[in-house]
């Protein structure tokens, strides 16, 4: 997606969306691989992916979208109120879906292959849900923000999202979500052509 003027917050948001998309795609490959018997190591990788989603998009990315981007856009125009309301609802639904995936993964770990279809359905359902959510933000909200927000709005939003690059900078390396993301990506099975 090409936006007229590239703002640093928009760059951060798009990068974070790409990262989450790669995690979700990896979850699909992992759950598909579980059917071939790579159970325990795949379950550990899946748990790391769910942890990443819980800790970064759910705790940092989505709240900042609501607090800064959505709030500023609502203050400038009511044109996007319905879409913003839907996106906020989807943020809550996303949390519930991740919790449901964690429960489905635990059932798989405890009961084995009989629980795999439910886990797979949950992963694929989340992937569809997230793709639709991301599309709505990138095709409606970001262009709307480009059109209506002021330079002052963007200064505040750019500063808020600029902090997302290293959210745990003061913690030890093993707790750094950027390191976790790289580890997950390096561990994921390759996409089949």
């Amino acid at each position: 997606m090409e936006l007229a003027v590239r703002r640093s917050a928009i760059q951060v948001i798009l990068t974070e969306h790409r990262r989450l998309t790669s995690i979700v795609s990896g979850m699909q490959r992992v759950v598909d691989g579980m059917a071939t018997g790579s159970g325990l190591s795949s379950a550990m990788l899946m748990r790391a992916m769910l942890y990443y989603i819980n800790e970064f998009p759910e705790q940092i990315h989505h709240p900042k979208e609501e607090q800064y981007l959505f709030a500023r856009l609502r203050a400038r125009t009511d044109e996007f109120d319905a879409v913003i309301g839907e996106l906020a609802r989807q943020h809550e639904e996303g949390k519930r879906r991740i919790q449901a995936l964690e429960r489905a993964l635990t059932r798989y770990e405890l009961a084995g292959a009989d629980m795999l279809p439910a886990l797979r359905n949950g992963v694929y359902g989340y992937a569809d849900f997230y793709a639709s959510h991301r599309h709505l933000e990138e095709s409606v909200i970001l262009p709307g923000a480009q059109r209506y927000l002021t330079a002052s709005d963007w200064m505040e939003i750019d500063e808020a999202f600029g902090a997302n690059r290293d959210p745990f900078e003061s913690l030890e390396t093993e707790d750094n979500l950027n390191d976790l993301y790289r580890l997950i990506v390096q561990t994921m099975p390759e996409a089949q052509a």
Side-chain angles (χ1 to χ4, degrees):
M1 175 179 92
E2 194 61 36
L3 296 170
V5 176
R6 292 293 190 158
R7 300 281 183 183
S8 67
I10 290 176
Q11 292 299 321
V12 171
I13 290 167
L14 293 174
T15 297
E16 291 171 1
H17 284 180
R18 281 191 302 274
R19 280 184 165 197
L20 183 52
T21 297
S22 71
I23 295 291
V24 172
S25 175
M27 288 169 54
Q28 292 174 300
R29 292 193 306 275
V30 167
V31 78
D32 287 344
M34 288 174 164
T36 64
S38 57
L40 184 56
S41 62
S42 293
M44 289 172 49
L45 179 55
M46 180 72 71
R47 196 157 298 283
M49 293 169 163
L50 293 171
Y51 176 81
Y52 178 86
I53 293 170
N54 264 326
E55 295 301 314
F56 194 71
E58 296 300 339
Q59 300 299 319
I60 297 170
H61 178 86
H62 293 156
K64 283 189 179 182
E65 284 178 333
E66 291 179 17
Q67 182 180 355
Y68 295 98
L69 183 63
F70 298 175
R72 288 317 222 163
L73 192 53
R74 272 189 198 260
R76 299 289 174 217
T77 180
D78 61 1
E79 180 179 339
F80 302 99
D81 286 358
V83 174
I84 290 170
E86 174 60 19
L87 288 170
R89 187 197 65 73
Q90 288 178 7
H91 285 169
E92 290 304 312
E93 182 180 344
K95 289 177 191 175
R96 288 189 299 274
R97 285 176 177 260
I98 293 301
Q99 290 170 348
L101 282 173
E102 289 172 330
R103 288 190 300 275
L105 178 59
T106 299
R107 285 191 294 275
Y108 168 77
E109 290 169 321
L110 296 174
D114 289 346
M115 298 293 111
L116 187 57
L119 177 60
R120 186 178 189 283
N121 288 340
V123 166
Y124 274 80
Y126 182 81
D128 291 342
F129 164 80
Y130 176 69
S132 175
H133 176 79
R134 176 184 174 181
H135 176 74
L136 193 55
E137 286 183 350
E138 291 181 4
S139 67
V140 177
I141 295 300
L142 293 181
Q146 286 282 87
R147 194 166 60 238
Y148 286 103
L149 298 186
T150 66
S152 174
D153 293 333
W154 281 114
M155 284 177 55
E156 179 184 7
I157 295 167
D158 287 347
E159 184 177 325
F161 277 91
N164 286 12
R165 290 198 179 109
D166 192 359
F168 294 109
E169 145 180 318
S170 65
L171 298 177
E172 296 295 323
T173 303
E174 65 263 19
D175 292 328
N176 187 308
L177 288 180
N178 287 323
D179 289 345
L180 177 60
Y181 173 78
R182 282 189 289 280
L183 176 67
I184 290 168
V185 170
Q186 291 170 355
T187 311
M188 281 192 291
E190 293 297 320
Q192 300 300 315

